[in-house]
Amino acid sequence: MIVLDDTGFAHLGCFGSDIDTPNIDRLAAGGLRYTNFHTTALCSPTRACLLTGRNHHSVGMRTVSNIDHGFSNSRGVISPSAATLAEMLRSHGYGTFALGKWHLATLEDCSPAGPMDHWPLQRGFDRFYGFMGGATDQFSPELQVDNHPIDPPSEAGYHLSEDLVDQAIAMITAHQGSAPGNQFFAYVAFGATHSPHQAPRDYVEKYRGRYDDGWDIVRQRWFERQLALGIVPEGTTLAPRNPGVEPWDELPDTNKAVYLRMQEAFAGFLDHTDDQVGRLIDYLEMIGVLDDTIVMLVSDNGASQEGGKHGTLNELAYFNQIQTPIEGMAERIDEIGGPNIYNNYPWGWAQVGNTPLRFYKQNTYEGGIRDPLIVHWPNGISDAGGVRDQYHHVSDLTPTILECIGVTAPGTYHGVTQMPVEGTSLRYTFDAPSAPTRKTTQYYEMLGHRAIWHDGWKAVTMHSPGTPFEDDQWALYHTDADFSECTDLAETHADKVRDLVHRWWSEAGKYNVMPLDDGRGGNSFVQRRPGHGPPGRTQRFYAGTPHLQRGKTPDIRNRSFTITARVARAAGDDGVLVAYGARTTGLTFFVQHDHLCFTYNRLGQMFEVRSDGPLGEGQLDLVVTFTKSADFVGTAVLSCVSNGTASELGRGPVEMLPYRETLYGMDIGKDAGPTVTGAYQGPFPFTGRLDWVEYELEDDRNDLIKAAEVEHQNQLADQ
């Protein structure tokens, strides 16, 4: 199972784009392409459906997994009453391996203390190598091996996609070497093509100039390719530009230059990913199992709108509702796609990725939920290169696999009664290209956006957060004849709208969709369950503490705080005491050239404080105290306590980010990731003796509700 992230309906070469994906195209040529396949519009819910064969509300994954909202449809984990495909297959003797993105456990559980009930190894996988959250740096990822974190790779030329395939091959090799011929299930979930769009430089440079015609002409070109390939039916209308997408010819030259480089970076990223898919397929062929291996390749939702109208060089700016001027982005244009920024492209290129459809990931229009699916199985599919247009959903993949291999979903698993598998196997389509679809109805709900498809008709609504759901206006499309949802028939077919909306409510009741929540309800903002997370406002971390992901780090946002490091040092003992964050944002507290230093990285703007003189020797408490003077601003003071006497060493102003400090976690005694500052080269471990680092947080926040609201919206880019 190969899962791509934020890859739109049109992005693959075999689905219409001009991005070079020869290896994925090879799978399509030897298998089947599904053009009427749908997902949930977001990553965690799609993955929950894919791995269980049930709808996402049914199994407790209404939205992204970051937070447990308390309702049974939104616990942030997959219910134990829905065994995963890995659990089912392992019970039948399969080796099971998960690589890459997980994002099916709440952030507060993703620490060395767990609980690990919903980590990959506890949900049916024998081995795991990847990252627990929704996204990660491709050059310096936060990595987990089985049930423990490891330091991020630091070797030159590293890229996560290459590493994942190396590890997948190693796991399969070990399995086949120890148990020759035994069956296995490999779940390979790339970070690509989720932002940051990062790829080796030569892949990005390969696409220089390819998109200079701009998004309007490129979208038309891809649409014409789709028609020629039979991916969209004759008579399909290319959807109009989405709101906020401007005509390319009316854009200033500076905007065009930045937007083009962002699209080139995306294309290079996908091209590079395709090469890694090719290495995996070549390996399966080399060991002689490809023809009898079911390979499914799918994306988890449509192309992402989270880059905003202009794109972004740092997705933390998006999370904090800060727009970087185009001129500022242009100054760093040559860094786009590289290791020093966290870029995402603008809406215009995202809509190109969803050609010929409307809207994006998060939305229940087709641009958010219609995605590419390829099934390759030479010994089980005779119609190589075929195209299938039966309506299906991501919850249908697990029942398809079970039918193909002759396994029945268990009625109980580990003593827990199992809910029925809700998906419909699409095995029947393998040998019957014209067979009518066996799936007659599928509901959708995401962030209050809703839709329902039934017998070729679709009702859909875009919900405005904070408004009554009763006020939502439903559109109606005859999707059997209107592939791209361009002709709204709601006014002329009011009875059909009423019938479909009534049917939506019926399906919602059946599949645990209630209560509806668009992120404005108070329960949506619960950040940590009782008994989890930091114990109060003081937290001590001892030397040797492994890397902590951000769900378990002290929440310093918009509050006064003190960080104290107890050390014993001699002259020349330097290094990092604590580092939180990465090159995009964060803070670091360190000793360099015998001076105590504190740096707060605010989207690349460095607020630095350095001691006026050198530090003393012996046992010391090294302290930085940040005191708020207004929301998000204040003064950082460095001090040293020796033999009970405190001395101030330096002070300076700091301006903090309002809503999310970082995408990256925290290290004690080193800066093991993509370093917060360029003042040193990582990991820059402290060479003296570090006993512990302690945070003390003051209770002077007054923006908790607003911050929680923004954080809920920010979760949507964590898939």
Side-chain angles (χ1 to χ4, degrees):
M1 180 68 69
I2 299 170
V3 185
L4 303 179
D5 202 328
D6 290 4
T7 304
F9 177 76
H11 270 139
L12 306 178
C14 54
F15 276 78
S17 88
D18 62 3
I19 298 173
D20 296 331
T21 58
N23 297 291
I24 294 173
D25 297 351
R26 172 191 170 196
L27 289 175
L32 300 173
R33 281 168 291 172
Y34 286 80
T35 63
N36 209 356
F37 176 77
H38 295 78
T39 59
T40 70
L42 276 183
C43 71
S44 298
T46 290
R47 291 156 201 267
C49 292
L50 185 156
L51 286 173
T52 67
R54 287 94 167 181
N55 288 297
H56 61 109
H57 297 87
S58 297
V59 303
M61 197 69 67
R62 179 178 65 200
T63 181
V64 290
S65 67
N66 299 30
I67 293 172
D68 180 351
H69 296 275
F71 295 107
S72 63
N73 66 6
S74 191
R75 302 310 304 267
V77 298
I78 295 172
S79 169
S81 61
T84 68
L85 180 60
E87 289 171 323
M88 298 182 210
L89 296 185
R90 189 162 68 177
S91 296
H92 287 267
Y94 278 70
T96 54
F97 319 120
L99 293 303
K101 176 174 173 174
W102 185 240
H103 209 199
L104 293 171
T106 59
L107 288 179
E108 64 205 42
D109 290 350
C110 294
S111 81
M116 301 175 183
D117 308 47
H118 297 281
W119 290 27
L121 266 60
Q122 282 65 246
R123 293 311 308 253
F125 289 100
D126 298 322
R127 295 295 314 281
F128 173 62
Y129 184 95
F131 56 101
M132 294 294 290
T136 193
D137 191 299
Q138 298 294 303
F139 293 110
S140 298
E142 287 184 287
L143 289 177
Q144 203 88 13
V145 174
D146 298 332
N147 281 342
H148 65 275
I150 62 172
D151 285 344
S154 58
E155 62 267 26
Y158 175 90
H159 193 281
L160 176 60
S161 298
E162 299 173 17
D163 190 12
L164 295 178
V165 171
D166 288 345
Q167 296 294 332
I169 290 172
M171 290 179 189
I172 296 170
T173 297
H175 179 262
Q176 292 295 288
S178 302
N182 273 21
Q183 299 152 311
F184 61 86
F185 168 43
Y187 173 73
V188 184
F190 287 100
T193 52
H194 194 290
S195 61
H197 299 155
Q198 297 170 320
R201 178 55 50 185
D202 55 336
Y203 282 87
V204 177
E205 291 178 349
K206 172 182 176 180
Y207 288 89
R208 291 283 188 270
R210 186 173 296 194
Y211 302 108
D212 286 2
D213 289 337
W215 51 53
D216 292 321
I217 291 177
V218 171
R219 192 161 70 103
Q220 179 67 37
R221 191 160 64 224
W222 288 14
F223 176 54
E224 291 170 0
R225 287 197 68 200
Q226 290 178 321
L227 288 168
L229 291 169
I231 294 301
V232 301
E234 291 293 335
T236 297
T237 301
L238 180 63
R241 294 184 205 93
N242 290 331
V245 177
E246 298 177 271
W248 182 264
D249 289 344
E250 297 178 9
L251 295 171
D253 288 344
T254 300
N255 294 54
K256 289 181 179 178
V258 172
Y259 301 165
L260 285 169
R261 193 62 59 86
M262 290 179 173
Q263 171 65 4
E264 292 163 3
F266 178 90
F269 194 17
L270 180 54
D271 188 331
H272 177 257
T273 307
D274 178 81
D275 278 353
Q276 311 322 308
V277 172
R279 290 200 301 121
L280 181 58
I281 299 306
D282 288 346
Y283 167 77
L284 295 176
E285 186 172 43
M286 185 269 292
I287 64 173
V289 303
L290 180 60
D291 286 353
D292 202 33
T293 296
I294 303 169
V295 178
M296 291 182 172
L297 183 143
V298 65
S299 175
D300 62 355
N301 44 245
S304 169
Q305 62 178 295
E306 282 124 17
K309 181 176 181 178
H310 302 292
T312 181
L313 297 188
N314 187 340
E315 210 162 78
L316 264 299
Y318 168 84
F319 291 150
N320 285 283
Q321 301 182 349
I322 296 170
Q323 177 62 53
T324 304
I326 288 291
E327 293 74 19
M329 290 196 275
E331 292 174 0
R332 303 187 67 184
I333 193 169
D334 289 332
E335 297 180 63
I336 292 174
N340 293 320
I341 55 178
Y342 208 100
N343 50 287
N344 197 355
Y345 56 14
W347 290 337
W349 289 119
Q351 187 171 13
V352 172
N354 290 332
T355 302
L357 310 171
R358 302 174 66 191
F359 301 111
Y360 317 94
K361 164 188 175 182
Q362 300 185 20
N363 305 133
T364 53
Y365 274 79
E366 294 294 282
I369 61 175
R370 189 188 291 252
D371 288 290
L373 167 67
I374 296 170
V375 180
H376 180 274
W377 185 25
N379 285 355
I381 296 173
S382 58
D383 184 22
V387 175
R388 299 291 186 267
D389 63 2
Q390 291 90 349
Y391 193 100
H392 277 283
H393 183 259
V394 65
S395 60
D396 301 335
L397 297 187
T398 280
T400 302
I401 292 168
L402 296 179
E403 181 181 353
C404 288
I405 64 178
V407 168
T408 301
T412 60
Y413 182 78
H414 284 184
V416 178
T417 300
Q418 297 292 288
M419 64 179 67
V421 169
E422 296 165 351
T424 301
S425 170
L426 48 80
R427 173 69 179 85
Y428 71 96
T429 67
F430 290 1
D431 302 315
S434 301
T437 182
R438 294 182 182 176
K439 194 176 193 75
T440 59
T441 306
Q442 180 61 49
Y443 82 93
Y444 298 89
E445 188 279 328
M446 189 55 62
L447 309 172
H449 306 311
R450 291 173 284 162
I452 185 164
W453 178 90
H454 177 72
D455 286 345
W457 291 81
K458 180 181 174 185
V460 58
T461 182
M462 294 272 276
H463 178 73
S464 181
T467 63
F469 290 102
E470 299 80 18
D471 293 348
D472 290 345
Q473 296 296 309
W474 290 81
L476 176 70
Y477 301 99
H478 187 197
T479 55
D480 278 359
D482 184 8
F483 190 95
S484 52
E485 299 176 315
C486 285
T487 304
D488 182 0
L489 302 174
E491 289 190 10
T492 57
H493 291 69
D495 289 346
K496 175 67 75 172
V497 174
R498 282 192 291 272
D499 175 68
L500 287 174
V501 172
H502 176 77
R503 191 176 296 273
W504 185 91
W505 284 104
S506 176
E507 295 292 293
K510 186 187 304 183
Y511 295 115
N512 198 34
V513 178
M514 302 305 145
L516 285 171
D517 187 353
D518 62 8
R520 299 303 189 200
N523 284 323
S524 295
F525 307 141
V526 176
Q527 297 292 305
R528 305 182 195 272
R529 296 197 300 272
H532 293 76
R537 295 196 299 271
T538 299
Q539 193 169 7
R540 180 173 291 186
F541 303 92
Y542 291 94
T545 297
H547 178 80
L548 294 175
Q549 298 202 26
R550 60 185 176 86
K552 281 291 190 181
T553 57
D555 184 1
I556 64 170
R557 293 173 298 168
N558 198 26
R559 71 193 330 154
S560 301
F561 64 87
T562 298
I563 303 174
T564 302
R566 177 156 294 176
V567 306
R569 69 178 300 274
D573 283 336
D574 289 351
V576 171
L577 305 169
V578 59
Y580 171 54
R583 58 175 68 94
T584 50
T585 57
L587 66 82
T588 177
F589 187 34
F590 60 102
V591 180
Q592 188 174 45
H593 306 311
D594 289 330
H595 285 258
L596 187 61
C597 308
F598 174 79
T599 297
Y600 186 92
N601 176 347
R602 187 185 187 277
L603 302 175
Q605 180 184 11
M606 301 296 179
F607 292 89
E608 299 173 325
V609 185
R610 188 172 185 269
S611 64
D612 298 325
L615 285 173
E617 302 181 36
Q619 181 167 301
L620 309 171
D621 282 359
L622 305 179
V623 183
V624 57
T625 300
F626 172 78
T627 303
K628 276 178 56 176
S629 56
D631 278 349
F632 318 123
V633 296
T635 301
V637 177
L638 301 178
S639 59
C640 176
V641 179
S642 177
N643 296 319
T645 302
S647 303
E648 182 177 323
L649 304 179
R651 63 174 54 215
V654 172
E655 183 176 351
M656 304 179 72
L657 289 170
Y659 303 126
R660 182 176 291 183
E661 298 288 337
T662 180
L663 297 170
Y664 199 84
M666 184 173 74
D667 288 299
I668 302 297
K670 59 187 175 183
D671 190 347
T675 58
V676 175
T677 175
Y680 52 75
Q681 182 175 351
F684 196 37
F686 184 64
T687 56
R689 191 188 80 213
L690 173 64
D691 292 339
W692 45 258
V693 173
E694 185 172 271
Y695 279 73
E696 296 178 74
L697 309 179
E698 299 299 323
D699 191 17
D700 55 356
R701 292 192 64 176
N702 55 10
D703 68 326
L704 289 172
I705 294 177
K706 172 63 175 175
E709 290 179 356
V710 173
E711 179 64 13
H712 181 81
Q713 298 304 313
N714 286 344
Q715 294 164 22
L716 308 182
D718 275 345
Q719 40 245 297

